[in-house]
């Protein structure tokens, strides 16, 4: 039984961390991450860890409820049948705290995540956070670096308008003092919480950093750390639109793309610098002996690889799906070592409960499998399949992907076949941060095996992330440049069978086989 500090850093690419790579795949320089590296030297480093449900809030439901949600629904709330992590911990006498600048917790369609914590803190102002309304006309230079004035008019009052960031950043004084930037404020507050709450016997603190998520708007010295450009040049974007890098609104010149990469790298180093304050608090308060510390990310971010910038629309390549995970366990058998076993994001839910000493019968683990046997040395950490034979991952309503840790198989959907959304709310299947609209064709029933009661089921459009199957040998081709689907047909069929078996094991909705053009298991 230990205290638990769970810390997520949004959009953090594993190849930008010294513990995983000498330098990122997309640049020819190393990125400074000394504090994450020193934590990795202490902790167990997981080499084959995959996301499950993408992007932001679907990942957080996996962490908070142990549900691999992308097969049933899109971005949405905690469901009534979910055994929320903080509630289960509180019921067992654990103090729980959320510290975050991740404003999505407080948007339309995302309720139920923060309410169960004993206490929560919200650092305001990141990205689209609906916070500041003045000045009406923000700084022109920052607007030029963050938005298209036609689609995001600075004087507009519609939902999800990028101009709010310029107002929020000015209010925070982000460019005036690095301590006012979001990661510094958040990690500083986390360090203060650790120092102030030393007397509690059992606690769970979840620190959820929205950085290194875009906008890649860095204060100095980080803005100039990896570029010779003037970081305040209005021709250089710090907030790229998602999409192909060679056309449309998301188009970037080589110069602009290199600059975006440099600012992403700057944000990584800034987050790392201030994460060091958390490590210092753990040192100073002598918390290591009774505190487990988990550091991870929800997904990565494409910076020109495969012709894309961002996420959501392209195939879920490993740059998005293969995420960092470090776990310090005071009694861990593999501290300072690497764990090869295949693991999934949803496994953090059961892991946290086990680390807190909460009986497995006290919560429905749903799809989550505790990593404690690996950490404690009760399972072979060198065995790729000691924990999982396969991991499924993807976005609701699109492709479904599977890996066995050696190959990744990305399977397309038929976008003409509708998907079905399952929830106790009539959530928006795609427009998640917008006010919901009634679904007049919804059915109510017991359509979800892991739910305790009826849910709404209603149809919504599927969308294609890829047109044909993609198969990659990630041992020999970690950047997934060569599609082997036509060449290694036996492996393709084996992974396709693993995908079908994975859907069956999860009791996924039957319509998934139809929209994926897959035959049911024999």
């Amino acid at each position: 039984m230990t205290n638990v500090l769970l810390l997520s850093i949004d959009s953090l690419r594993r190849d930008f961390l010294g513990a995983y790579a000498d330098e990122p795949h997309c640049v020819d320089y190393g990125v400074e991450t000394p504090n994450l590296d020193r934590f990795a030297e202490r902790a167990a480093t997981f080499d084959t860890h995959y996301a499950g449900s993408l992007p932001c809030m679907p990942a957080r439901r996996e962490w908070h409820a142990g549900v691999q949600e992308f097969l049933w629904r899109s971005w949405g709330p905690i469901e009534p049948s979910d055994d929320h992590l903080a509630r289960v911990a509180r019921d067992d006498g654990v103090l729980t705290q959320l510290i975050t600048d991740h404003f999505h917790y407080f948007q339309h369609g995302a309720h139920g995540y923060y309410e169960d914590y004993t206490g929560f803190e919200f650092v305001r102002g990141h990205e689209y956070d609906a916070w500041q309304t003045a000045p009406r006309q923000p700084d022109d230079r920052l607007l030029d670096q963050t938005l298209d004035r036609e689609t995001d008019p600075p004087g507009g009052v519609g939902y999800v308008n990028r101009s709010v960031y310029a107002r929020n950043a000015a209010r925070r004084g982000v460019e005036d003092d690095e301590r006012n930037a979001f990661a510094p404020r958040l990690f500083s507050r986390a360090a203060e919480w650790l120092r102030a709450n030393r007397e509690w016997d059992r606690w769970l603190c979840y620190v959820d950093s929205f950085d290194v998520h875009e906008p890649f708007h860095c204060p100095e010295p980080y803005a100039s750390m990896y570029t010779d450009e003037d970081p305040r040049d209005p021709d250089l974007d710090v907030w790229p639109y998602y999409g192909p890098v060679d056309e449309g609104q998301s188009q970037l010149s080589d110069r602009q793309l290199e600059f975006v990469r440099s600012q992403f790298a700057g944000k990584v180093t800034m987050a790392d610098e201030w994460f060091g304050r958390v490590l210092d608090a753990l040192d100073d308060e002598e918390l290591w002996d009774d505190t487990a510390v988990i550091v991870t990310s929800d997904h990565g971010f494409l910076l020109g690889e495969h012709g894309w910038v961002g996420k959501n629309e392209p195939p879920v390549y490993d740059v998005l799906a293969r995420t960092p995970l470090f776990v310090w366990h005071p009694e861990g058998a593999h501290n300072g070592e690497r764990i090869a076993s295949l693991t999934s994001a949803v496994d953090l839910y059961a892991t946290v409960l086990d680390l807190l000493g909460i009986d497995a019968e006290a919560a429905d683990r749903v799809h989550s499998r505790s990593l404690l046997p690996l950490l404690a040395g009760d399972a072979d950490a060198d065995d790729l399949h000691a924990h999982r034979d396969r991991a499924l991952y993807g976005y609701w309503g699109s492709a479904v992907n599977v890996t066995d840790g050696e190959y990744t198989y990305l399977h397309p959907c038929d976008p003409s076949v509708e998907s079905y959304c399952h929830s106790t709310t009539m959530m928006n299947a795609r427009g998640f941060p917008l006010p919901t609209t009634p679904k007049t064709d919804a059915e109510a029933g017991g359509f979800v095996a892991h739910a305790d009661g009826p849910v709404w089921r209603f149809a919504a459009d599927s969308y294609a992330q890829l047109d044909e199957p993609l198969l990659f040998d990630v041992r020999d081709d970690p950047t997934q440049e060569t599609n082997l689907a036509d060449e290694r047909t036996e492996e393709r069929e084996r992974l396709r069978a693993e995908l079908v078996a994975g859907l069956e094991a999860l009791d996924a909705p039957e319509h998934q086989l139809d929209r994926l053009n897959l035959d049911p298991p024999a």
Side-chain angles (χ1 to χ4, degrees):
M1 180 189 305
T2 66
N3 301 317
V4 177
L5 173 61
L6 171 62
L7 195 149
S8 60
I9 302 175
D10 201 297
S11 305
L12 180 63
R13 288 177 46 153
R14 56 180 262 154
D15 63 321
F16 274 68
L17 304 179
Y20 285 107
D22 292 334
E23 61 185 40
H25 300 311
C26 61
V27 299
D28 59 1
Y29 50 80
V31 176
E32 296 180 20
T33 56
N35 291 300
L36 284 162
D37 293 347
R38 73 170 162 120
F39 178 63
E41 291 175 359
R42 174 189 290 269
T45 298
F46 285 73
D47 280 330
T48 321
H49 187 65
Y50 275 80
S53 303
L54 290 86
C56 300
M57 293 311 293
R60 280 152 183 81
R61 184 165 177 239
E62 294 208 350
W63 296 338
H64 281 97
V67 175
Q68 194 152 38
E69 78 164 19
F70 80 100
L71 298 169
W72 286 268
R73 50 160 250 193
S74 181
W75 181 305
I78 291 292
E79 299 286 355
S81 60
D82 289 344
D83 285 316
H84 189 285
L85 182 65
R87 182 171 70 249
V88 174
R90 288 181 77 170
D91 288 347
D92 204 64
V94 177
L95 175 77
T96 60
Q97 176 75 19
L98 170 68
I99 304 172
T100 189
D101 61 344
H102 203 289
F103 69 99
H104 289 311
Y105 285 113
F106 308 94
Q107 283 187 300
H108 280 294
H111 59 269
Y113 289 89
Y114 67 89
E115 292 91 335
D116 280 319
Y117 283 91
T118 315
F120 72 90
E121 294 189 39
F122 178 24
V123 176
R124 298 298 305 269
H126 215 316
E127 204 199 35
Y128 291 114
D129 183 16
W131 187 38
Q132 295 297 311
T133 58
R136 178 177 180 178
Q137 292 297 323
D139 177 68
D140 277 333
R141 189 269 306 164
L142 189 51
L143 290 177
D144 289 338
Q145 289 193 285
T146 55
L147 57 79
D148 178 331
R149 292 172 191 261
E150 291 188 9
T151 56
D152 290 285
V157 295
Y159 295 94
V160 199
N161 187 311
R162 288 190 174 204
S163 63
V164 72
Y165 178 77
R167 298 186 184 95
N168 291 343
R171 173 69 175 79
R172 278 279 179 231
V174 169
E175 292 182 357
D176 301 328
D177 187 334
E178 73 168 278
R179 292 172 296 181
N180 295 332
F182 296 99
R185 290 178 64 88
L186 186 75
F187 290 128
S188 294
R189 186 64 198 101
E192 291 170 2
W193 189 92
L194 291 173
R195 296 179 191 279
N197 286 273
R198 186 68 179 90
E199 68 272 20
W200 286 92
D201 295 328
R202 296 173 67 207
W203 53 261
L204 162 65
C205 180
Y206 175 32
V207 181
D208 189 349
S209 173
F210 197 61
D211 278 343
V212 297
H213 196 289
E214 72 277 5
F216 307 131
H217 176 216
C218 300
E220 295 293 357
Y222 312 103
S224 297
M225 191 169 287
Y226 301 105
T227 182
D228 293 329
E229 299 276 8
D230 175 4
R232 308 305 172 213
D233 184 336
D235 292 331
L236 296 172
D237 295 342
V238 298
W239 193 351
Y241 285 86
Y242 293 176
V245 296
D246 59 354
E247 64 181 10
Q249 190 178 42
S250 56
Q251 183 174 7
L252 295 170
S253 67
D254 290 344
R255 177 184 176 225
Q256 289 172 323
L257 182 57
E258 287 302 317
F259 180 72
V260 167
R261 290 168 173 167
S262 75
Q263 299 310 287
F264 181 91
K267 264 211 168 178
V268 171
T269 297
M270 179 178 68
D272 176 87
E273 170 67 23
W274 290 84
F275 168 69
R277 307 306 199 271
V278 176
L279 298 183
D280 292 343
L282 291 164
D283 289 338
D284 296 343
E285 300 301 321
E286 299 181 346
L287 293 172
W288 292 108
D289 288 345
D290 57 10
T291 304
V293 183
I294 302 171
V295 176
T296 193
S297 184
D298 48 1
H299 51 71
F301 191 90
L302 286 158
L303 291 166
E305 296 91 345
H306 306 284
W308 291 87
V309 63
K311 55 182 188 287
N312 299 348
E313 303 303 325
V316 188
Y317 295 106
D318 270 14
V319 69
L320 296 173
R322 194 166 184 173
T323 52
L325 175 63
F326 310 102
V327 182
W328 159 258
H329 180 11
E331 300 177 1
H334 298 290
N335 291 333
E337 300 176 359
R338 307 188 83 88
I339 291 179
S341 303
L342 174 63
T343 58
S344 181
V346 74
D347 296 331
L348 295 186
Y349 175 79
T351 303
V352 171
L353 292 177
D354 272 356
L355 289 168
L356 290 169
I358 296 176
D359 192 335
E361 296 181 358
D364 182 358
R365 303 303 178 95
V366 197
H367 308 135
S368 185
R369 302 179 185 177
S370 174
L371 302 177
L372 195 57
L374 285 171
L375 295 167
D378 297 328
D380 186 355
D382 293 326
D383 180 354
L384 184 60
H385 298 133
H387 182 73
R388 285 185 176 272
D389 292 327
R390 70 183 80 87
L392 271 62
Y393 54 99
Y395 289 76
W396 178 87
S398 192
V400 179
N401 316 288
V402 65
T403 184
D404 64 357
E406 297 177 315
Y407 287 87
T408 57
Y409 176 65
L410 283 58
H411 188 84
C413 70
D414 182 345
S416 68
V417 178
E418 292 178 315
S419 191
Y420 283 89
C421 193
H422 303 77
S423 179
T424 54
T425 64
M426 291 189 176
M427 57 195 288
N428 293 333
R430 297 291 303 279
F432 41 80
L434 304 177
T436 55
T437 55
K439 310 300 186 287
T440 56
D441 60 344
E443 303 174 87
F447 305 121
V448 178
H450 55 266
D452 294 336
V455 300
W456 292 112
R457 181 176 68 181
F458 48 91
D461 291 339
S462 296
Y463 70 102
Q465 292 175 314
L466 60 155
D467 298 323
E468 61 180 359
L470 300 178
L471 176 73
F472 301 102
D473 183 339
V474 294
R475 300 162 301 178
D476 297 335
D477 181 21
T479 57
Q480 298 173 300
E481 302 295 335
T482 304
N483 179 16
L484 302 173
D486 292 334
E487 177 182 337
R488 299 188 188 176
T489 55
E490 289 187 6
E491 294 295 349
R492 182 194 68 204
E493 293 308 308
R494 181 178 66 82
L495 268 294
R496 183 175 295 181
E498 287 288 345
L499 175 56
V500 173
L503 293 171
E504 182 183 29
L506 291 167
D507 287 325
E510 292 183 3
H511 81 276
Q512 289 287 4
L513 296 176
D514 295 332
R515 55 182 294 277
L516 296 168
N517 291 318
L518 291 171
D519 294 326

